[in-house]
């Protein structure tokens, strides 16, 4: 469902952020993405969301060629993606519930239906009781779980999370990760970048990047190990 064929990415005037990545991520898998800062993890996730384009090679997501996708194709692609990026902040002047309803409202869902689904999404991340709170009154971990609820409220086929547990204490990180895993459990493909050794220790499928290259990955084991 997500296929990198000899994909490279070079930002203008810079060395390769990613080079010659060949990787296939089947539907419904949970993959972790690891490697030192600057290894290319964010770039890899951004390309799947067509926030960046490959400089060379072919990347297909749900059959769409990211290098050739037209602006008119982006809404369709993104509707099937749940993005949890650190730069995407919650709207501080709207309550938690409204933040989670927004992705539904922008695609024209009726308000009552959007509210019902947003409440269900908040329930899944354990924050239904905070629905009417202001985002900034929540802890960092709770805000991250609101961001997850917002990312999954559309029931996307693919969830991309860029260091979703960075800066969280252990208990919060575990809750955030459990929330993400529960969506994998109902069939979504999840790709989660992390530096967290404890999370990686329990992971079954890990893609390691180093200086833009696929490093000694566990790719040989893909498909062989169960969950
Ligand atoms: P990671 O997420 O593993 O820290 P990134 O994908 O953010 O790695 O970065 C990979 C490399 O690409 C780094 O050298 C970084 O400085 C560079 N890079 C990332 N984004 C940009 C950009 N928008 N413009 C120029 N260089 C970038
Ligand atoms: P992270 O470490 O969380 O992956 P960064 O702090 O490296 O993110 O990057 C923040 C933003 O700046 C990202 O959108 C990234 O693409 C961009 N960026 C990263 N490195 C560079 C760079 N060398 N030049 C321009 N933009 C960059």
């Amino acid at each position: 469902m997500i296929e990198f064929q000899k994909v490279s990415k070079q930002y203008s005037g810079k060395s390769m952020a990613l080079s010659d990545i060949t990787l296939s991520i089947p539907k419904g898998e949970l993959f972790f993405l690891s490697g030192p800062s600057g290894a290319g993890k964010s770039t890899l996730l951004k390309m799947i969301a067509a926030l960046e384009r490959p400089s060379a090679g072919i990347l297909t997501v749900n059959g769409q060629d990211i290098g050739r996708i037209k602006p008119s194709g982006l809404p369709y692609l993104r509707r099937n993606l749940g993005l949890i990026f650190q730069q995407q902040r919650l709207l501080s002047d709207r309550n938690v519930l409204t933040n989670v309803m927004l992705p539904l409202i922008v695609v024209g869902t009726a308000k009552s239906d959007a509210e019902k689904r947003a409440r269900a999404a908040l329930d899944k991340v354990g924050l239904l009781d905070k629905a009417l709170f202001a985002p900034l009154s929540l802890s960092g971990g709770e805000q991250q779980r609101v961001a997850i609820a917002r990312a999954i409220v559309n029931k996307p086929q693919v969830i991309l999370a860029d260091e979703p547990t960075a800066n969280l204490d252990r208990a919060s990180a575990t809750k955030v990760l459990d929330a993400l895993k529960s969506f994998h459990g109902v069939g979504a493909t999840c790709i989660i970048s992390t530096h967290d050794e404890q999370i990686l220790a329990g992971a079954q499928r890990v893609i390691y990047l180093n200086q833009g290259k696929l490093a000694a990955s566990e790719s040989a084991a893909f498909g062989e190990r169960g969950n």
Side-chain angles (χ1 to χ4, degrees):
M1 134 183 277
I2 298 172
E3 188 111 46
F4 287 80
Q5 292 171 54
K6 294 181 169 294
V7 172
S8 296
K9 175 67 186 180
Q10 183 169 28
Y11 292 102
S12 53
K14 300 256 303 191
S15 57
M16 290 290 191
L18 286 176
S19 48
D20 211 24
I21 302 293
T22 294
L23 178 68
S24 108
I25 299 176
K27 190 169 159 36
E29 295 285 1
L30 169 63
F31 272 68
F32 287 90
L33 184 57
S34 186
S37 189
K41 302 180 297 296
S42 295
T43 299
L44 189 144
L45 293 174
K46 284 179 185 168
M47 285 204 290
I48 295 171
L51 295 166
E52 296 289 352
R53 308 235 171 178
S55 310
I58 297 173
L59 169 59
T60 53
V61 177
N62 295 333
Q64 285 185 289
D65 182 339
I66 296 295
R68 290 165 173 260
I69 198 165
K70 296 198 178 76
S72 60
L74 290 176
Y76 177 76
L77 177 86
R78 302 238 173 95
R79 208 168 296 162
N80 290 310
L81 295 177
L83 306 180
I84 302 153
F85 282 75
Q86 280 167 10
Q87 299 92 325
Q88 293 179 329
R89 301 264 172 254
L90 301 169
L91 300 178
S92 56
D93 59 343
R94 310 285 171 89
N95 68 27
V96 162
L97 179 66
T98 308
N99 268 277
V100 177
M101 286 167 65
L102 278 178
L104 297 169
I105 298 296
V106 298
V107 298
T109 307
K111 209 176 156 207
S112 58
D113 192 23
E115 178 168 342
K116 210 169 83 190
R117 288 165 62 185
R119 285 185 181 277
L122 282 169
D123 192 27
K124 280 186 198 150
V125 298
L127 287 177
L128 189 51
D129 58 333
K130 302 276 166 83
L132 302 180
F133 282 48
L136 293 178
S137 68
L138 271 51
S139 71
E142 289 171 334
Q143 290 182 38
Q144 195 64 288
R145 278 146 66 204
V146 175
I148 292 172
R150 185 179 60 180
I152 56 81
V153 74
N154 272 331
K155 298 199 166 75
Q157 295 168 18
V158 178
I159 294 168
L160 306 176
D162 196 0
E163 308 217 17
T165 62
N167 313 317
L168 300 183
D169 60 50
R170 176 59 49 199
S172 301
T174 302
K175 280 186 185 165
V176 163
L177 194 69
D178 286 348
L180 285 166
K181 281 183 174 167
S182 72
F183 298 107
H184 163 244
V186 295
T189 307
C190 291
I191 310 174
I192 304 170
S193 81
T194 186
H195 285 293
D196 188 323
E197 291 299 334
Q198 201 162 322
I199 290 174
L200 292 168
Q204 305 209 325
R205 293 173 172 79
V206 185
I207 301 162
Y208 292 102
L209 287 174
N210 194 5
Q211 297 186 344
K213 294 196 174 72
L214 208 51
S217 81
E218 299 188 5
S219 56
F222 294 170
E224 288 176 16
R225 296 191 196 178
N227 282 311

